[in-house]
Amino acid sequence: MIHAYSESYLYDAKQNLSECFDYAISNCRFNADIFSKLFVQSGYADKFERGNPAIVSGISGIELAQEIIMYAYMNYKFPEKIFSEERSEVYWAGWALAEYQWATCRRFKDIFSRIPLSEIVTMYSVYHEMDIGHFIEDMNKKYMSVTQEIHLKTIRENRGISQVELAALSGVKLRSIQMYEQKVNDIDKAQARTLYKLSRVLGCSIEDLLENPEL
């Protein structure tokens, strides 16, 4: 597997995500799952998982959290960071999640859709003293155990577009769309032009339509 960024950035990435989550959730009192949605919606999750140096190591985790929060709340008054010698459960969750995302190349939005951040935080008591490999292994089991709708169907329904409408607007055959959504045909093997037509109508990236973009 080809990782999105060099392992030399991984320590900084883990520290930044840990501080980001800890500050937003422990200090700013955001609900863990609400903040994880902001992380994804703001576009910073995408930059982080791609290893953007300005995000994974160029700013502090606190600054990252503030950027994410300001995406939704421009005039938010940030509290001072409360430092503690003890690492919180939330801090550990950020640390472990950053390594899991790097190791698997899965997108944060896909991880959170199957395993909410609040659930990852609760895993602290079992895994924080174990080798990280145990956490990654069991996270993979959790991830694979959740059956979800194909991305194409989820995005299409969120846009309020029927299969018939999507076919008419995109020029992709209705039967092809149905076969992708029923998982009879693998959308990851669709022609680039087909994916482009669908993404243009749905207002998303081609990567958003893929089930396994890292492959």
Side-chain angles (χ1 to χ4, degrees):
M1 181 181 295
I2 300 175
H3 300 291
Y5 57 95
S6 168
E7 190 172 2
S8 62
Y9 281 110
L10 184 56
Y11 179 85
D12 287 346
K14 292 192 292 186
Q15 186 173 45
N16 265 13
L17 199 61
S18 296
E19 290 181 350
C20 173
F21 286 174
D22 193 43
Y23 177 71
I25 297 167
S26 301
N27 287 87
C28 299
R29 301 298 179 184
F30 273 82
N31 172 276
D33 296 328
I34 289 176
F35 184 73
S36 66
K37 288 181 180 179
L38 286 181
F39 181 41
V40 171
Q41 292 170 355
S42 65
Y44 282 98
D46 182 67
K47 293 176 183 177
F48 194 100
E49 64 200 24
R50 292 177 184 276
N52 185 320
I55 303 303
V56 299
S57 63
I59 61 176
S60 71
I62 294 174
E63 290 171 326
L64 176 58
Q66 291 173 341
E67 291 287 337
I68 294 167
I69 292 170
M70 285 192 293
Y71 165 80
Y73 307 98
M74 288 295 295
N75 298 318
Y76 188 87
K77 294 184 178 180
F78 294 100
E80 292 292 326
K81 168 65 178 175
I82 300 174
F83 291 95
S84 172
E85 293 183 4
E86 296 290 329
R87 297 303 191 189
S88 71
E89 296 177 2
V90 174
Y91 186 98
W92 171 85
W95 185 276
L97 180 60
E99 179 135 358
Y100 175 75
Q101 189 282 319
W102 180 83
T104 62
C105 296
R106 293 195 168 107
R107 304 190 71 182
F108 283 109
K109 71 174 185 177
D110 294 333
I111 296 170
F112 292 140
S113 70
R114 297 177 185 233
I115 313 166
L117 179 56
S118 58
E119 182 178 340
I120 296 173
V121 172
T122 66
M123 296 169 72
Y124 169 85
S125 60
V126 175
Y127 295 95
H128 77 283
E129 292 184 347
M130 291 186 183
D131 181 88
I132 191 66
H134 294 293
F135 171 78
I136 292 173
E137 180 180 352
D138 286 353
M139 277 284 287
N140 274 333
K141 290 178 181 178
K142 285 177 177 286
Y143 185 93
M144 298 305 295
S145 70
V146 179
T147 302
Q148 288 198 316
E149 297 285 5
I150 191 170
H151 294 163
L152 171 61
K153 182 178 181 180
T154 300
I155 295 171
R156 177 181 61 76
E157 291 181 344
N158 286 343
R159 299 291 191 273
I161 299 174
S162 69
Q163 290 179 334
V164 173
E165 290 171 326
L166 180 57
L169 292 169
S170 67
V172 176
K173 292 181 180 179
L174 173 60
R175 185 55 180 160
S176 294
I177 293 172
Q178 292 171 336
M179 296 287 272
Y180 290 137
E181 292 195 359
Q182 294 167 8
K183 300 183 181 180
V184 176
N185 289 345
D186 186 354
I187 195 168
D188 290 356
K189 296 179 181 178
Q191 293 183 352
R193 183 168 178 77
T194 297
L195 294 170
Y196 170 74
K197 289 179 177 180
L198 293 171
S199 66
R200 184 179 59 180
V201 174
L202 294 171
C204 65
S205 69
I206 289 176
E207 189 176 48
D208 287 335
L209 297 175
L210 301 178
E211 294 300 298
N212 296 289
E214 70 271 13
L215 298 181

